Amino acid sequence: MSSRLWLWLLLAALGGAFLLNLNAWGVLESSEARYAEIGREMLAGGDWLHPRLLGIQHFHKPPLTYWLTAAGLGLFGGTAGAVRLLPVLAVLAQVALVYALGLLVFARDRRRALAAAVVYGTLPVVLISALNVTTDAYLATLELLAAYAFLHYHCTPAGRPAARWLYLGWVALGLGFLTKGPVAVVLPVMVVISQHLSKGSPRRPWSWHHLSAGLLFALVGLSWYLVLVADNPAFVRYFLFEHTVERFANAATFNRAKPWWFYLVLAPVGALPWSAALLTELVRNGWRRLGRRWQQVLLWWVLVPLLFFSLSKSKLLLYVLPIFPGVALLTVELLGRRTDAVLLRWYVGFMALFGLVLGGLCLLPLLGVGYGLVVAPWVALWPAAGVLLLLFTHMFWDEVRVAPRLLVLTVLFSLGLLAAAKPILGQIEARANGSRPVARRLKELNLQDRPVLVYNELLPSLAFAQRRLPVSLYDGNQALQRETQFEADGRWHQNLINLQDPADTTVLGPLLRRQPVLLVKGELPEGRACLAQRLPKHEHVGPWTIFYAQ
């Protein structure tokens, strides 16, 4: 079969594994629940320019992710699976784009391009990004599209039309700006730099198309920002300093402070087991034996972006998703230089690791009890099926070459892991920061229509599950220090009450007389026992305590 057909089979297999049981668990705190709830409120309220989280305007990110989330909810229903569907499609598009980039980088070698797509599509960090609603999956797709378009523009032979690729690249960058702001340029700029520094790489001269494509980028990428600034000039400082400079330089701004070495550890872990092979081969080859082209790929596609994100004070694993296409391409190049004897050793190591992981998941119903995780025995059937599939493929597939066996082995493990992980998440979602079990219990108790007071926690996952807004009770939790400076009036006080402000607590009396539900994570502090005074009954769901009156 042609490599293109194999690519379609890979996309179909990954897509099926992603979509299987996609609604098995509810949206999880904090990032996924936040994006899901903002999309729900945007769809319900019809305001596509002013995102709202629990009834209060929320401008931490540009709106493209919210728009796509709202579109998923409108098209596929108001479920957790609906908000995850478009990120899944975005990751499948990334796999296809890595194949397309591989064709350019490997000089039309389709087998190596396909191998790069397989490596990228089976990286754990990529699998995680597909099942977690954030800006990062969309941003990585747009960055890859821009990088591919710019490379294709320069690689198009002279005399053939290429301007459309230039325009496509700048439009993708503009959409990236509407996804996460200036960070969208990191990967495309690194790819273009590596292209220009590689000896013998094709380049195209400057033309008027660059200017018009740049104007198109400004029109697309800055449109939403300019509309908000025209409405309120205070947004200039807000976007430039509080959500660009402060996010990068101040560790305390969004409570995402991590040590400088965070990505040096987490990035290789997120790429296992391929990262082990890549690091080993990099050490064995050394810098000189990489060759000029691959030196540029390693430097500009992996190391410089990794350094850039490591300098940032705000760190999450998915922020470095743009480096992993370079990781996949380098891995294929370096392993492709090795003999079948060496690849066989990697194959045996991969098989042992995959068997241990799936075997451990089989034992989770027994071992999880010691960690407070109650998992039904039937859940073990999924990883057990994965183990059997790996064994049958190893024993009965008569492929002699090691490279295809290694790639297929990793795909099968990824499919088995995806199938096994989702039922487990569905069983432990209350422990994994999901509120859907709480919403279900409130419905069982016939309390779903009562006001819900959430003590000292920001809980958009509950709002998403119930499709209605709770009242947040602020008592010192920094997550509830909402940015209300852009609110036109005081109606936001209906959704957020400051227990430390006597003027705010006057609205509590009428709420408490309506016999609300009080939701507390852990135990209610003694000084706040009056909140549950009229709520004699209580029960626990995961880490949450529900206080109520029948």
Side-chain angles (χ1 to χ4, degrees):
M1 292 190 296
S2 69
S3 63
R4 186 167 296 178
L5 182 55
W6 277 114
L7 176 67
W8 282 111
L9 289 175
L10 171 65
L11 294 175
L14 285 176
F18 282 136
L19 296 177
L20 179 69
N21 286 331
L22 197 57
N23 194 44
W25 71 104
V27 296
L28 304 180
E29 300 289 347
S30 62
S31 296
E32 182 180 52
R34 189 168 60 250
Y35 290 111
E37 175 58 15
I38 292 174
R40 188 195 70 82
E41 292 182 42
M42 183 174 282
L43 184 64
D47 186 348
W48 299 88
L49 294 177
H50 304 88
R52 290 184 175 273
L53 176 63
L54 300 184
I56 298 174
Q57 292 184 92
H58 188 86
F59 298 105
H60 287 195
K61 292 290 191 299
L64 186 61
T65 301
Y66 308 139
W67 292 343
L68 292 172
T69 303
L73 291 169
L75 291 172
F76 307 110
T79 66
V83 299
R84 294 184 183 120
L85 182 56
L86 292 181
V88 164
L89 297 180
V91 168
L92 294 177
Q94 290 171 36
V95 175
L97 284 167
V98 169
Y99 173 80
L101 273 172
L103 290 178
L104 296 177
V105 173
F106 292 118
R108 310 302 297 180
D109 187 332
R110 296 182 180 276
R111 289 179 299 176
R112 291 198 174 193
L114 178 63
V118 170
V119 172
Y120 183 79
T122 56
L123 296 175
V125 66
V126 174
L127 303 180
I128 292 170
S129 72
L131 300 178
N132 188 21
V133 183
T134 67
T135 59
D136 300 292
Y138 297 125
L139 180 64
T141 305
L142 293 168
E143 285 185 306
L144 269 173
L145 179 59
Y148 172 71
F150 290 144
L151 274 187
H152 202 296
Y153 169 76
H154 285 290
C155 293
T156 301
R160 296 181 60 183
R164 64 181 182 273
W165 295 107
L166 185 65
Y167 287 104
L168 176 61
W170 281 105
V171 168
L173 271 188
L175 292 174
F177 248 70
L178 285 179
T179 305
K180 208 171 182 177
V183 74
V185 306
V186 172
L187 177 64
V189 166
M190 295 299 106
V191 169
V192 170
I193 289 175
S194 71
Q195 169 77 7
H196 282 272
L197 293 181
S198 297
K199 290 183 179 180
S201 296
R203 301 168 198 169
R204 281 184 165 266
W206 178 271
S207 73
W208 65 269
H209 288 295
H210 290 82
L211 178 60
S212 56
L215 292 174
L216 183 59
F217 157 77
L219 178 65
V220 173
L222 302 180
S223 56
W224 177 75
Y225 299 93
L226 294 175
V227 169
L228 291 188
V229 168
D231 184 56
N232 187 343
F235 275 113
V236 173
R237 175 176 175 79
Y238 182 81
F239 288 134
L240 290 181
F241 293 98
E242 295 183 34
H243 279 277
T244 302
V245 177
E246 284 292 312
R247 183 182 289 271
F248 188 89
N250 189 347
T253 303
F254 293 100
N255 293 321
R256 289 172 180 169
K258 300 292 189 301
W260 64 268
W261 45 262
F262 177 78
Y263 290 131
L264 298 183
V265 174
L266 265 291
V269 170
L272 285 173
W274 293 112
S275 58
L278 174 60
L279 292 173
T280 301
E281 295 303 317
L282 282 174
V283 171
R284 191 190 70 85
N285 279 274
W287 179 257
R288 292 183 179 276
R289 293 177 62 187
L290 280 179
R292 180 70 175 177
R293 173 188 292 181
W294 294 102
Q295 289 172 355
Q296 297 302 319
V297 171
L298 175 61
L299 180 63
W300 296 103
W301 293 37
V302 179
L303 296 182
V304 172
L306 192 63
L307 174 63
F308 171 83
F309 288 111
S310 294
L311 292 175
S312 172
K313 299 298 183 181
S314 179
K315 295 183 178 72
L316 290 176
L317 175 60
L318 293 183
Y319 287 178
V320 293
L321 197 58
I323 75 169
F324 291 102
V327 168
L329 293 167
L330 276 164
T331 302
V332 170
E333 168 62 22
L334 294 182
L335 286 181
R337 299 177 182 182
R338 303 295 268 155
T339 64
D340 270 4
V342 174
L343 293 180
L344 182 61
R345 290 200 290 270
W346 285 114
Y347 174 84
V348 172
F350 279 29
M351 175 69 84
L353 175 64
F354 296 160
L356 285 174
V357 171
L358 292 176
L361 293 177
C362 290
L363 297 176
L364 192 60
L366 295 175
L367 302 179
V369 177
Y371 298 93
L373 303 177
V374 179
V375 180
W378 65 265
V379 171
L381 294 176
W382 289 100
V387 172
L388 291 176
L389 182 60
L390 293 180
L391 289 175
F392 287 160
T393 304
H394 173 72
M395 295 171 60
F396 299 112
W397 188 29
D398 59 359
E399 172 63 55
V400 175
R401 296 168 300 166
V402 180
R405 296 181 71 92
L406 183 61
L407 294 170
V408 170
L409 172 72
T410 316
V411 171
L412 293 178
F413 168 72
S414 299
L415 301 181
L417 184 63
L418 287 169
K422 295 175 191 177
I424 294 172
L425 277 171
Q427 295 272 307
I428 65 170
E429 65 174 297
R431 292 286 178 185
N433 289 329
S435 299
R436 192 166 66 172
V438 174
R440 285 175 175 167
R441 184 56 185 156
L442 293 179
K443 190 172 183 179
E444 291 169 359
L445 295 170
N446 202 28
L447 302 172
Q448 70 273 15
D449 295 324
R450 294 192 188 181
V452 177
L453 309 181
V454 180
Y455 173 75
N456 210 31
E457 294 287 341
L458 186 71
L459 202 59
S461 59
L462 181 65
F464 184 85
Q466 287 199 304
R467 302 185 188 182
R468 55 196 291 263
L469 302 184
V471 179
S472 302
L473 305 180
Y474 171 76
D475 198 18
N477 186 348
Q478 188 177 351
L480 281 172
Q481 292 181 341
R482 305 295 304 280
E483 297 172 335
T484 59
Q485 66 269 35
F486 299 114
E487 295 296 322
D489 52 45
R491 284 182 296 178
W492 59 271
H493 285 285
Q494 301 172 7
N495 306 112
L496 176 61
I497 297 174
N498 186 353
L499 296 181
Q500 299 177 353
D501 183 355
D504 242 17
T505 56
T506 56
V507 300
L508 263 179
L511 270 175
L512 294 175
R513 284 193 290 271
R514 293 168 59 188
Q515 291 190 324
V517 173
L518 176 64
L519 194 60
V520 181
K521 195 168 189 178
E523 300 296 329
L524 189 64
E526 284 188 19
R528 300 301 183 188
C530 59
L531 295 173
Q533 196 169 25
R534 300 186 182 183
L535 307 172
K537 295 189 176 183
H538 71 276
E539 58 181 82
H540 298 280
V541 178
W544 297 97
T545 303
I546 304 172
F547 294 90
Y548 64 98
Q550 285 289 13

